[in-house]
């Protein structure tokens, strides 16, 4: 924003310090004059001229000294005010320099203002926290953009390869080509829809309303029951009515993703998925557990990253687009909820989502 040049804050503070100092000196001299008048040291005759008294002699001798003191106060106020203003505004200059550095795209710089807590240091700490979060968010967005580009390029490259093969081989069965192209196209559509859903949840562009998590669990498990039968997994649901507050469509997607993830990343045979809901005074809790191989806490902490696929957990016949738990994480954050992933001691994964039961106040 273009602004006209003006006085710096340091100069304004300097003039303020000097002005207040001169005002204090003037008030002190005025108080002395009032005192002399009340004591009768300064008197006038009938013509209005001052009569010679001890007070008038005192004033004649003190006036030059008072003028010198006022000049000294002016100089001292300007010099001292300039120095004190510089010392006071030094932290603000560091914050300004860090802001200018951040505007160039460098988000790794931190102010790290030393000293005890005050308004400037509180501002510097808040700015450092903002820079850290912004740097992490930008890095995540860049990584997501790279992964999304790679994932979207893969089905397009496969389609091009299939078409090239069919073009160079006239004897190629067109029915198989159509089936493979349909499968590749369906995967690309699923990926695109997942990206759109992820963006929608991240922007929080949805309407919040009361939602019962137990009903969403019933709907999700009923939809995914054929998939569970296909993979030989059993779904067990339990729990009470769990009223929450949020988007019914997004929370249904969250529940579906969790149950789907628990089904496909399970034991090869006779796997089990447990889905429970519970209600507390301030949160509604959804818990999804499944059987499976033993997982390390370090590995579990990476599962919500976009396009993260565990090779030892996924079989090629049901590999997803790698956004299931990433969408769950984004929907959870958009609802100001808490997402917890933990490995089960007997193998498998336990995922807990705690949702608010009332509308957020912010």
């Amino acid at each position: 924003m273009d602004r006209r040049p003006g006085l710096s804050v340091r100069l304004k503070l300097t003039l303020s310090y000097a002005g207040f100092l001169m005002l204090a000196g003037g008030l002190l001299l005025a108080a002395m004059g009032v005192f002399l008048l009340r004591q009768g040291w300064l008197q006038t005759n009938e013509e209005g001229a001052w009569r010679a008294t001890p007070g008038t002699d005192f004033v004649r001798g003190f006036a030059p000294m008072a003028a010198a003191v006022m000049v000294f106060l002016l100089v001292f106020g300007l010099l001292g005010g300039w120095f004190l203003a510089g010392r006071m505004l030094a932290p603000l200059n560091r914050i300004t320099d860090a802001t200018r550095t951040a505007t160039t795209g460098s988000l790794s710089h931190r102010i790290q203002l030393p000293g005890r807590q005050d308004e400037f240091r509180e501002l510097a700490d808040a700015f450092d926290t903002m820079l850290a979060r912004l740097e992490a968010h930008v890095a995540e967005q860049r990584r997501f953009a790279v992964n999304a580009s790679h994932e979207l390029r893969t089905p397009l490259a496969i389609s091009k390869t299939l078409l090239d093969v069919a073009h160079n081989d006239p004897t190629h069965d067109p029915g198989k080509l159509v089936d493979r192209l349909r499968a590749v196209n369906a995967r690309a559509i699923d990926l695109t829809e997942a990206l759109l859903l992820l963006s929608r949840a991240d922007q929080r562009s949805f309407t919040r309303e009361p939602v019962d998590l137990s009903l969403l669990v019933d709907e999700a498990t009923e939809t995914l029951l054929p998939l569970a039968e296909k993979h030989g997994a059993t779904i067990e649901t339990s729990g009470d009515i769990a009223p929450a507050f949020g988007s019914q469509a997004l929370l249904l997607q969250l529940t579906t993703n969790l149950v789907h993830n628990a089904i496909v990343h399970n034991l090869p045979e006779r796997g089990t998925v447990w889905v429970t809901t519970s209600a507390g005074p301030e949160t509604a809790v959804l818990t999804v557990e499944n059987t499976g191989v033993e997982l390390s806490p370090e590995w579990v902490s990476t599962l919500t990253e976009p396009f993260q696929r565990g090779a030892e957990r996924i079989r090629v016949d049901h590999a997803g687009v790698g956004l299931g738990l990433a969408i769950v994480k984004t929907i959870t954050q958009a609802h100001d909820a808490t997402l917890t992933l933990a490995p089960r001691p007997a193998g498998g994964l336990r995922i807990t989502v705690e949702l608010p039961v009332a509308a957020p106040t912010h």
Side-chain angles (χ1 to χ4, degrees), residues 56-119:
T56 57
D57 294 336
F58 172 77
V59 171
R60 290 190 184 98
F62 182 72
M65 185 179 295
V69 170
M70 292 298 292
V71 173
F72 171 78
L73 290 178
L74 177 60
V75 176
F76 180 78
L78 292 174
L79 295 178
W82 183 263
F83 174 76
L84 290 177
R87 291 291 302 272
M88 292 294 296
L89 295 176
L92 187 59
N93 293 332
R94 293 186 57 175
I95 297 175
T96 303
D97 293 338
T99 305
R100 290 173 178 170
T101 302
T103 57
T104 62
S106 176
L107 301 176
S108 60
H109 179 72
R110 299 292 182 271
I111 302 174
Q112 295 181 345
L113 198 62
R116 297 185 178 182
Q117 185 72 15
D118 59 15
E119 288 80 358

Side-chain angles (χ1 to χ4, degrees), residues 233-251:
T234 302
I235 303 178
E236 299 181 6
T237 61
S238 62
D240 303 324
I241 296 175
F245 196 84
S247 167
Q248 180 172 356
L250 289 179
L251 292 180

Side-chain angles (χ1 to χ4, degrees), residues 19 30 37 39 48 52 59 75 81 89 110 137 171 193 199 221 236 266 295 304 307 339 355 360:
L37 287 173
Q39 295 298 321
V59 171
V75 176
L89 295 176
R110 299 292 182 271
H137 181 71
T171 62
E193 291 179 348
S199 175
T221 53
E236 299 181 6
N266 213 311
L295 304 173
T304 56
F307 306 105
L339 175 66
L355 291 156

Side-chain angles (χ1 to χ4, degrees), residues 32-43:
M32 291 180 60
V34 172
F35 174 78
L36 293 176
L37 287 173
R38 288 184 177 180
Q39 295 298 321
W41 285 22
L42 299 177
Q43 299 178 2

Side-chain angles (χ1 to χ4, degrees), residues 43 60 161 217 277 293 298 337 358 361:
Q43 299 178 2
R60 290 190 184 98
T161 302
V217 169
T277 57
V293 299
E298 295 78 12
T361 57

Side-chain angles (χ1 to χ4, degrees), residues 92 95 111 117-128:
L92 187 59
I95 297 175
I111 302 174
Q117 185 72 15
D118 59 15
E119 288 80 358
F120 283 127
R121 283 153 185 82
E122 185 177 356
L123 176 61
D125 293 342
F127 190 80
D128 285 343

